[in-house]
Amino acid sequence: MDVSSSPAQQDVVVVGGGHNGLVAATYLAKAGRSVLLLERLPATGGAAVSTRAFHGVDARLSRYSYLVSLLPRKIVDDLDLRFAVRRRRISSYTPHGDAGLLVDAEDSARTREQFVRLTGSERDFDAWQRFYAMTGEVARRVFPTLTEPLPTRAELERRVGDATAWEALFERPLGETVEATFSDDVVRGVVLTDALIGTFTHAHDPSLRQNRCFVYHVIGGGTGDWDVPIGGMGAFTDALAAAARAAGVRIVTGAEVTAIATDGKVAEVTYEDVEGGGTRTVGARDVLVNASPHALAGLLGAERPPRPEGAQLKVNMLLRRLPRLRDTSVDPREAFAGTFHIAEGYRQLQTAYEQAAAGRVPDAPPSEIYCHSLTDPSILSPELAAAGTHTLTLFGLHAPARLFATDPQRVKEELLAATLAQLDAVLAEPLADCLATDADGRPCLEAKSPLDLEREVGLPGGHIFHRDLSWPYADEDADADRGGNADAAGGNGERLAHVDVTQATGRWGVGTGYANVFLCGAGAVRGGGVSGVPGHNAARAVLERAR
């Protein structure tokens, strides 16, 4: 399509109103650009929303994404957001038989006692301290680079400044380091889980997908802490939407973008107006796409990359009270406040992976849960909070989309039953006895498979990161193929036909094959998680290009 004579009606059109799209739009509007944001759903927020999930029950659950680690304070401050997070004192609890392992982030002596109780010695505790001191130092050095121009691999390695840490995290399969560092199976499993969130892989995967996932999970905030969003995840995106409107962003919901045409200088964005009816087209100098690379290719009329595959079961629950534990030495209010690991021993994780890879529901599906309302009761009505009601969020691993392909509802029910059975095995009473009921008398429990996530919030294959996470440095070979600087000022304004337009590269890791089309969603380099980083970086790329 020839768009060379199309007048630009907007400086910028942002496709998709998830948190990254809102971040990008707000930065650009504050810089004086006219910005139109188009969102397919009836409201902004994407997967970072709060919902009254159960009929007649005033509890605002973070339905999809639920914890915050990767959001830089810089973005909150730059955009004047009224938003805060709260740190969890209890890092994790892992039941094992009638005992367990409680990791108290503020009491090293207590945590040491827990390790000794589980393992019989201090060896793994000392190894734990050394290992996370190492990852903590990497976090302090790497996290600030996420909102800077994309470093090369060599530059990031120099920034880390620790050859042993670099080799352990960036060079060798994580399983080698875990096995060399820790001896206890439960401890090994707790460490490995951060490499498997939303990522279907195993400890010794030669592609190092597990390492990439692990790196992002331990660098968040420069500390590796995973914090609770006060008011629920929707409080963040509500604050972003308010900031965007205050900055002058025009937000149109119920607007499903169907095509983007560009010559690299001006662009036309076509969308279906659900409320107004009909097809509309708007011109823009620059287009930022807060959708997956898979969707981006379709919008540009390019060949789509292989569909990514999500691998999780998300379960939201509301409880009348917290259940009692088989481990009577631990208060449930502590155990459920951190990350509660279920069937996540090191060998269990490998077995579950092998069974799922073979196309079957794992016998013991691994999962982890936490209770938002223990840290932040504001998501509950005063009446529910006073009655002792609590939320419970479960994130199941090794549940690849392929399992749901032929009979999605049956498989989801089978997987849910097997997952809850693993939880019941470590409780002193059935979870079902603790579930609250909604206004119709139904148990307050909902489960989301990868297929549900694709249908409801547009995650391709249900992949929560839009595709496998990338290293937080430049792919120098890809940039050389593209001409080196596709998302920076001075781009040549033409798509290079032989290049995959979804392979985000360039100075900020958000460039496509077009000089005026940018990827600002989780599929950008340094994307994934609730961070706002791709939105920030895409905005910076646009502003630099216009100099």
Side-chain angles (χ1 to χ4, degrees):
M1 180 178 181
D2 182 10
V3 296
S4 59
S5 61
S6 298
Q9 300 164 13
Q10 298 283 333
D11 291 329
V12 180
V13 171
V14 177
V15 178
H19 78 282
N20 279 309
L22 289 166
V23 166
T26 307
Y27 268 110
L28 290 168
K30 286 172 74 74
R33 302 299 192 273
S34 63
V35 182
L36 171 66
L37 184 147
L38 302 173
E39 167 55 45
R40 174 180 65 90
L41 297 174
T44 56
V49 293
S50 297
T51 308
R52 287 175 175 83
F54 306 115
H55 180 226
V57 182
D58 191 6
R60 300 176 302 284
L61 280 67
S62 298
R63 186 170 234 166
Y64 305 109
S65 57
Y66 54 98
L67 289 172
V68 176
S69 172
L70 290 163
L71 173 65
R73 185 69 210 180
K74 168 183 169 53
I75 291 176
V76 176
D77 292 342
D78 285 351
L79 303 185
D80 301 316
L81 301 180
R82 298 177 62 86
F83 173 72
V85 296
R86 188 169 294 158
R87 186 170 184 259
R88 300 181 295 172
R89 170 174 176 164
I90 301 302
S91 176
S92 67
Y93 171 71
T94 308
H96 184 65
D98 292 329
L101 175 65
L102 186 80
V103 179
D104 186 333
E106 296 181 8
D107 192 334
S108 178
R110 183 188 188 196
T111 302
R112 180 186 294 271
E113 292 173 1
Q114 290 280 316
F115 270 82
V116 172
R117 183 176 74 139
L118 175 73
T119 68
S121 77
E122 296 184 349
R123 179 191 181 281
D124 272 359
F125 173 76
D126 292 338
W128 178 281
Q129 295 291 87
R130 291 191 299 271
F131 181 77
Y132 283 106
M134 178 267 286
T135 64
E137 186 58 34
V138 171
R140 284 186 287 276
R141 293 171 181 266
V142 173
F143 186 70
T145 71
L146 299 187
T147 51
E148 298 172 358
L150 192 63
T152 65
R153 179 187 178 99
E155 288 168 345
L156 191 67
E157 184 175 1
R158 286 195 296 272
R159 187 84 166 246
V160 168
D162 181 336
T164 300
W166 182 266
E167 183 179 9
L169 299 181
F170 294 85
E171 299 282 357
R172 297 167 50 196
L174 184 65
E176 295 180 15
T177 298
V178 171
E179 291 168 17
T181 305
F182 305 101
S183 59
D184 184 82
D185 184 83
V186 172
V187 176
R188 287 177 172 180
V190 172
V191 176
L192 182 63
T193 55
D194 278 342
L196 305 176
I197 302 299
T199 305
F200 188 54
T201 186
H202 59 93
H204 291 277
D205 187 339
S207 76
L208 303 187
R209 281 181 296 180
Q210 71 280 30
N211 292 54
R212 283 174 266 153
C213 183
F214 187 79
V215 164
Y216 282 95
H217 277 83
V218 298
I219 67 171
T223 63
D225 288 336
W226 283 80
D227 296 326
V228 176
I230 302 303
M233 196 60 77
F236 175 46
T237 47
D238 287 349
L240 276 171
R245 290 189 174 96
V249 177
R250 181 183 169 217
I251 297 175
V252 178
T253 57
E256 182 171 5
V257 174
T258 56
I260 299 170
T262 182
D263 62 2
K265 298 177 182 177
V266 293
E268 287 184 351
V269 178
T270 302
Y271 66 98
E272 297 297 326
D273 185 346
V274 174
E275 293 185 3
T279 301
R280 301 181 186 276
T281 299
V282 60
R285 291 189 180 89
D286 295 293
V287 179
L288 278 63
V289 180
N290 182 29
S292 69
H294 191 268
L296 170 64
L299 294 175
L300 288 169
E303 182 178 354
R304 288 181 185 264
R307 181 178 294 276
E309 182 178 42
Q312 67 285 317
L313 181 74
K314 174 74 190 299
V315 184
N316 298 309
M317 294 170 271
L318 198 67
L319 308 181
R320 293 183 294 106
R321 57 179 170 80
L322 293 175
R324 292 177 288 112
L325 304 174
R326 283 178 58 185
D327 181 358
T328 58
S329 70
V330 175
D331 187 332
R333 290 173 296 181
E334 289 193 306
F336 288 106
T339 299
F340 189 117
H341 296 281
I342 307 160
E344 290 190 331
Y346 195 69
R347 288 189 295 270
Q348 287 177 305
L349 289 167
Q350 180 62 24
T351 298
Y353 170 80
E354 292 171 355
Q355 291 174 341
R360 55 176 284 202
V361 171
D363 295 330
S367 64
E368 43 201 56
I369 60 180
Y370 98 107
C371 175
H372 183 123
S373 53
L374 282 168
T375 303
D376 169 35
S378 73
I379 64 171
L380 302 174
S381 69
E383 294 77 15
L384 288 177
T389 304
H390 281 294
T391 63
L392 209 62
T393 293
L394 181 148
F395 190 91
L397 308 181
H398 292 337
R402 71 189 74 170
L403 296 182
F404 302 87
T406 56
D407 194 345
Q409 187 59 33
R410 179 192 63 78
V411 171
K412 184 164 72 171
E413 291 173 358
E414 180 183 346
L415 180 61
L416 176 63
T419 300
L420 295 181
Q422 292 301 309
L423 173 57
D424 276 348
V426 300
L427 301 179
E429 58 185 325
L431 178 70
D433 290 354
C434 302
L435 284 173
T437 54
D438 67 12
D440 300 317
R442 295 173 298 196
C444 290
L445 182 150
E446 67 169 14
K448 303 291 185 182
S449 73
L451 303 189
D452 295 327
L453 296 181
E454 179 167 34
R455 182 181 65 255
E456 294 173 13
V457 287
L459 300 178
H463 202 303
I464 63 172
F465 305 135
H466 288 187
R467 60 178 168 189
D468 289 337
L469 291 165
S470 61
W471 292 115
Y473 53 69
D475 183 341
E476 292 163 310
D477 291 338
D479 268 359
D481 288 343
R482 190 184 294 278
N485 218 15
D487 66 14
N492 63 16
E494 298 179 1
R495 181 168 71 88
L496 305 180
H498 66 286
V499 175
D500 176 4
V501 298
T502 68
Q503 193 62 45
T505 56
R507 175 172 158 80
W508 289 95
V510 297
T512 68
Y514 293 100
N516 66 339
V517 177
F518 303 86
L519 189 65
C520 71
V525 179
R526 302 180 292 188
V530 177
S531 72
V533 168
H536 168 277
N537 292 345
R540 289 294 304 272
V542 169
L543 295 174
E544 285 190 358
R545 192 176 84 90
R547 288 177 184 171

